[in-house]
């Protein structure tokens, strides 16, 4: 048995339905995903442990593959810990795996890329089973315009116009990001935006998706959307799309 | 404008997420889908109207295509009524359409067939996004045995062993039904049972699915399942599968 007090780093993959939570990060008001996992860890390991995620997700936003890390010095059966956590946690939060990571692994600082999906349901009548996982758009939107306007965002840009002011303690000072891909995929009942970048500014996905949908509904021209990005001013761009359509799908290290 | 007091019959197609309801049928305790639709109808039409569904669904059971009918003597813009109902109803209940039906149409008595689906998630770790719409089975089940045992039920049988005592007022006296099809379809993360019959006894789908899953987990042999059906005695068969995996998909007239 390894009883050396060496600090080890563990990487956790987590899926959660964000509907019932105030988001990933611990908040004074409301139940967060971080809080519930930390409480369950404390119950199992009899020790307070801080879990750092790749980034916070807001209230109502979902994750298929959120990544987090924590440090632990005692011997740890990670597979067993995963099972114990899933027994204690509500079923809308599931730990997919826990593995030991390199000592310098940091869930928030090490990512080289992130992928988000945003689901939009386009039928006249909303789908009751998608209400928590899709934005429902009733009005007619032009998918050709949507796909054309989406191209504006791909590449390396200053995304200030599409970033909300970051929350306190956020490290994001540089507003330049490289959006590697912004695909719009047909899926039953609607479409799915797939966005992959080296990183995202606060609310960037929801601001881009909301603005693109407004453009495809005729509220802005493609020219205007291009101007918004060039303006580097949050006040000029469109509405943020609501949280329930957004999924953090993958974090790449 | 047609102002004749002739009684017309209307057919409604309804989808609902059953999670938050005590079932289709009005109950003294709990909120039912029937109650909410009737209340919304009363608000819009200023008249109490009874809606008869093809059959009740239990608490937690979902519907993609529940059918109901009602009578109305005044002129009625059915398309507009549909829109108004969807504005008033919670988004987990959606009216897909309302059309005039033949005068003798009866949602409960006229069906010639019904289709139910039952979703089972088979990963070791539950999917947070399927928790309300799938049964999660952690233990290993043998899909070959499952498919072999499923064949026992197809055809015309006395399904007494797989029917719970019907609720008061149920017309089902004859326990013989013809199960036209019981397919087990692979789907991402698990399987889907698809059952089509001329009609189903009370809790018949959940009792069949539950017993089949127990058989595939090694709790009953295929021979024993065959004996259960032959026994015509509810006490001999397996556990009912829980409600959340069950969807009323289609009612055929």
């Amino acid at each position: 048995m390894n009883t050396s007090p060496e600090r080890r780093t563990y990487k956790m993959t987590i899926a959660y339905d964000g509907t019932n939570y105030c988001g990933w990060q611990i908040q004074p008001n409301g139940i967060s995903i971080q809080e519930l996992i930390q409480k369950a860890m404390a119950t199992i390991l009899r020790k307070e442990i801080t879990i750092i995620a790749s980034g916070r997700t807001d209230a109502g936003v979902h994750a298929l593959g959120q990544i987090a890390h924590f440090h632990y010095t005692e011997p740890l059966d990670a597979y067993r810990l995963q099972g114990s956590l899933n027994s204690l946690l509500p079923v809308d939060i599931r730990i997919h795996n826990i593995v030991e990571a390199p000592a310098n692994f940091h869930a928030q600082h090490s990512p080289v890329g992130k992928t988000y999906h945003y689901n939009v349901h386009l039928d006249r009548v909303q789908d009751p089973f998608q209400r928590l996982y899709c934005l429902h758009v009733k009005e007619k939107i032009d998918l050709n315009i949507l796909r054309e306007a989406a191209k504006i965002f791909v590449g390396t840009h200053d995304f200030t116009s599409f970033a909300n002011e970051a929350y306190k303690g956020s490290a994001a000072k540089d507003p330049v990001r490289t959006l590697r891909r912004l695909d719009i995929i047909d899926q039953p009942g609607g479409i799915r935006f797939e966005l992959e970048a080296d990183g995202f500014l606060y609310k960037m996905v929801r601001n881009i998706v909301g603005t693109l949908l407004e453009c495809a509904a005729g509220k802005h021209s493609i020219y205007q959307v291009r101007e918004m990005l060039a303006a580097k001013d949050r006040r000029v761009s469109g509405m943020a799309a609501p949280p329930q359509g957004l999924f953090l799908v993958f974090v790449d290290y």
Side-chain angles (χ1 to χ4, degrees), chain A:
Chain A
M1 197 169 73
N2 173 14
T3 50
S4 80
E6 194 193 350
R7 191 183 84 159
R8 292 167 185 273
T9 304
Y10 294 89
K11 177 184 163 189
M12 233 180 201
T13 307
I14 310 158
Y16 48 82
D17 179 333
T19 307
N20 299 318
Y21 301 102
C22 68
W24 166 265
Q25 190 166 278
I26 290 176
Q27 305 278 337
N29 309 311
I31 299 168
S32 66
I33 295 130
Q34 184 187 17
E35 175 191 343
L36 291 187
I37 299 177
Q38 290 189 174
K39 276 189 180 163
M41 296 269 282
T43 303
I44 297 160
L45 302 172
R46 293 161 191 276
K47 202 166 183 171
E48 300 286 335
I49 289 169
T50 301
I51 302 165
I52 309 289
S54 70
R56 81 172 196 178
T57 53
D58 281 327
V61 173
H62 314 292
L64 295 175
Q66 172 69 287
I67 303 289
H69 80 265
F70 62 92
H71 299 297
Y72 199 65
T73 47
E74 311 291 318
L76 187 69
D77 181 340
Y79 185 83
R80 196 169 165 178
L81 174 61
Q82 181 218 0
S84 305
L85 283 172
N86 283 336
S87 309
L88 285 181
L89 287 165
V91 290
D92 53 6
I93 304 173
R94 291 292 91 180
I95 311 300
H96 272 292
N97 66 55
I98 304 175
V99 291
E100 195 174 339
N104 64 346
F105 176 82
H106 192 289
Q108 196 190 341
H109 302 146
S110 313
V112 295
K114 276 190 187 179
T115 304
Y116 280 96
H117 290 178
Y118 194 98
N119 294 316
V120 181
H121 183 66
L122 292 172
D123 275 3
R124 189 176 68 91
V125 178
Q126 191 165 0
D127 178 352
F129 302 100
Q130 293 302 321
R131 73 193 192 283
L132 306 173
Y133 312 117
C134 274
L135 167 64
H136 179 225
V137 175
K138 259 195 267 197
E139 50 268 35
K140 218 176 146 43
I141 65 166
D142 186 320
L143 290 176
N144 291 325
I145 290 179
L146 189 70
R147 289 196 161 91
E148 198 54 38
K151 291 178 191 166
I152 294 167
F153 294 97
V154 178
T156 302
H157 303 283
D158 180 324
F159 282 99
T160 299
S161 298
F162 294 88
N164 284 27
E165 205 171 313
Y167 51 101
K168 279 176 201 156
S170 161
K173 297 273 183 267
D174 174 12
V176 175
R177 293 289 183 277
T178 299
L179 187 64
R180 295 175 196 143
R181 169 168 97 76
L182 199 178
D183 294 329
I184 295 159
I185 313 284
D186 293 320
Q187 63 183 8
I191 51 172
R192 177 177 72 249
F193 292 79
E194 297 192 355
L195 295 92
E196 191 189 323
D198 55 352
F200 290 89
L201 302 171
Y202 185 48
K203 287 216 176 151
M204 180 171 147
V205 178
R206 288 167 56 191
N207 287 327
I208 290 176
V209 168
T211 301
L212 283 174
L213 287 170
E214 285 180 347
C215 173
K219 208 168 160 187
H220 321 297
S221 69
I222 290 180
Y223 176 80
Q224 284 173 313
V225 174
R226 199 174 283 119
E227 293 286 290
M228 288 174 191
L229 182 61
K232 299 172 195 171
D233 180 349
R234 174 64 188 109
R235 290 166 301 177
V236 303
S237 66
M239 289 270 291
Q244 77 273 13
L246 186 60
F247 287 72
L248 172 57
V249 172
F250 185 67
V251 188
D252 195 16
Y253 291 91

